[in-house]
Amino acid sequence: MFKKILIANRGEIALRIIRACKEMGIGTIAVFSDADARSLHVKYADEAVNIGPPLSRKSYLNIDNIIQAAKSSGAEAIHPGYGFLSENQSFALACADNNIVFIGPPHEALLVAGNKASARKVLSSLGIAVIPGSDGIVSSPQEAASIAGRVGYPVIIKASGGGGGRGMRLAHNPEELAAFFSVASGEARAAFGNPDIYIEKYITAPRHIEIQILGDQYGNYVHLGERECSIQKRYQKLIEESPSSCVDRSLREKMGATAIAVAQAIGYSNAGTVEFLLDGKGNYYFMEVNARLQVEHPVTELVTGIDLVWQQIRISSGEALSLTQKDITRKGWAIECRINAADPDDNFMPSPGVISDLTLPGGPGVRVDTHIFLNYEVSPFYDSLIGKLIVLGEDRKMAIHRMQRALSEFRIGGIKVTIPFHEKILQNKDFISGNIDTYFLDRFETTG
Ligand code: MV4
């Protein structure tokens, strides 16, 4: 097992990883920008290295500085957390070049997962259901028009180097398709350094269901069931839960087997997530692979009792999975609300500033993953996520009551946060009855 791990991240996820390392008897090295010198991840880690100015590009995305910090501190492995360099193949390669273990999938799998059009092509050739559309990248407006004619409008244009909804364009007719096609490729190149685009039939009002998997370096895999992630705002998830009210045991087993087949096909190991769209008829389609630990991983941890960060570290150190599929049991219902420093009454505009008042919720079945404290200053330089409130109940009804109770205890003063917005969603009758799809928030924001 590793003696020292460097955590190449900040905020709540850096704390989450440091906590796992401490429990495993592993030394921790934090890295921090000038904006984060007073942060808890710096205090909690055994050592901390400054890696540059506040701008992410100059610190948390600066591969050279992070590798240098790992070498000077004697770290044997780097955990990238989520965001930043977590799915960056160049970073995984730089780790390998310097004899540092990247705690994540092999760099070859990062390449396939990061290239959405080729992942689609590979998986569909293996008989895995992908959303009807192009076979790989689309190179001309004529080709785009012919595919759309075959699968039917509306179609969605996606960037192969994108993911998570970034760079998507919806076309309802040939005119829109022609207009979007000409700009989409240039936009994709500018945003992701990759001009490749592909086309899918647009699935109406789907549910976004993802399967958590674990794989070791010896070809053993398990799946840990689904997370329901349909409640999103501009492709940013707000609430996630596990299980999903639309997934029964048989569908879970099928989707789990498909997720493992995807992982096998791309040589994936470590923790990962396979995203699917589920339509109203119970058909599910592969969408993309998230090659990292995700923000919403705690809901899976609470219902399975498995610590995903422990598992990641063990897998990366070369241990074989000690779990088989029959060891994975699920109990209860978990819900997560993402707490952002953002103003729901002003289009979720970021709301940085000093936290002048703070009361954290607690009690049975309540988990708070956060890096904030009284008088902490939320920086304008980074993502607005300042914490996650996760609850576990015996069933969905109890989890909802517990979340309502925990939200009512949670007070953050001095900045605008998403807590009041979550309180309203948790009172909504469609949410309460489990009647949610990817249009839920649009309906909620127009009719309340
Ligand atoms: C789609 C789709 C419908 N059809 N693809 C949004 C996030 C990104 N991972 C992909 N997304 C979508 N892709 C096809 N072919 C609908 C969405 C989508 C969505 C998905 C999950 C949750 C909320 C959403 C809101 C709008 C669109």
Side-chain angles (χ1 to χ4, degrees), residues 188-439:
R189 186 198 297 277
F192 314 113
N194 177 355
D196 294 345
I197 55 177
Y198 63 104
I199 290 182
E200 289 175 350
K201 180 171 179 58
Y202 182 70
I203 311 285
T204 309
R207 297 180 62 140
H208 174 133
I209 307 288
E210 56 186 34
I211 304 280
Q212 176 72 52
I213 60 128
L214 286 172
D216 65 18
Q217 297 171 25
Y218 314 102
N220 303 304
Y221 293 95
V222 292
H223 75 81
L224 278 66
E226 77 281 10
R227 292 186 287 259
E228 159 75 63
C229 304
S230 297
I231 301 199
Q232 309 195 7
K233 173 84 188 174
R234 277 179 260 125
Y235 315 127
Q236 293 287 327
K237 296 164 187 164
L238 286 179
I239 300 181
E240 303 96 345
E241 45 186 306
S242 187
S244 164
S245 48
C246 65
V247 176
D248 60 15
R249 183 189 294 260
S250 137
L251 183 57
R252 179 173 306 119
E253 277 173 18
K254 281 194 279 179
M255 293 182 81
T258 305
I260 289 174
V262 168
Q264 270 167 334
I266 68 171
Y268 198 95
S269 65
N270 214 284
T273 299
V274 183
E275 288 188 357
F276 297 95
L277 285 185
L278 177 65
D279 72 15
K281 296 182 209 129
N283 303 309
Y284 63 88
Y285 306 94
F286 167 81
M287 195 156 52
E288 55 190 71
V289 174
N290 293 150
R292 60 174 187 277
L293 180 71
Q294 286 187 277
V295 175
E296 60 271 29
H297 76 278
V299 294
T300 299
E301 295 189 319
L302 292 188
V303 295
T304 61
I306 292 168
D307 188 307
L308 287 168
V309 181
W310 279 64
Q311 293 293 331
Q312 286 192 292
I313 294 171
R314 286 182 173 160
I315 289 165
S316 286
S317 79
E319 283 185 29
L321 270 186
S322 58
L323 301 158
T324 64
Q325 195 62 52
K326 70 170 171 18
D327 298 322
I328 316 278
T329 54
R330 308 168 55 83
K331 194 171 183 329
W333 203 287
I335 304 178
E336 170 176 282
C337 287
R338 294 192 187 193
I339 312 299
N340 287 86
D343 185 359
D345 296 327
D346 187 11
N347 211 18
F348 289 81
M349 274 281 281
S351 175
V354 174
I355 292 174
S356 55
D357 183 24
L358 181 64
T359 311
L360 295 178
V366 175
R367 168 172 167 181
V368 184
D369 280 17
T370 185
H371 58 287
I372 65 173
F373 51 84
L374 190 61
N375 297 325
Y376 174 79
E377 183 171 359
V378 178
S379 166
F381 289 99
Y382 310 110
D383 188 273
S384 67
L385 184 82
I386 55 168
K388 305 180 307 206
L389 173 58
I390 315 106
V391 301
L392 178 67
E394 272 170 33
D395 55 23
R396 191 166 186 273
K397 190 172 174 205
M398 184 169 163
I400 288 173
H401 285 149
R402 188 158 267 169
M403 182 61 88
Q404 290 167 336
R405 187 271 291 170
L407 284 166
S408 75
E409 291 174 6
F410 208 162
R411 293 290 155 81
I412 300 176
I415 57 170
K416 293 275 199 303
V417 296
T418 48
I419 294 170
F421 190 73
H422 285 303
E423 289 189 289
K424 282 183 239 155
I425 293 177
L426 270 282
Q427 299 284 355
N428 176 277
K429 78 174 183 354
D430 283 332
F431 180 82
I432 291 170
S433 66
N435 180 23
I436 48 180
D437 58 42
T438 51
Y439 294 161

Side-chain angles (χ1 to χ4, degrees), residues 120 124 130-136 138 147-148 150-151 155-156 198-201:
R120 253 178 81 77
S124 112
V130 302
I131 302 169
S134 58
D135 186 29
V138 181
I147 294 160
R150 176 166 56 79
V151 300
V155 295
I156 195 161
Y198 63 104
I199 290 182
E200 289 175 350
K201 180 171 179 58

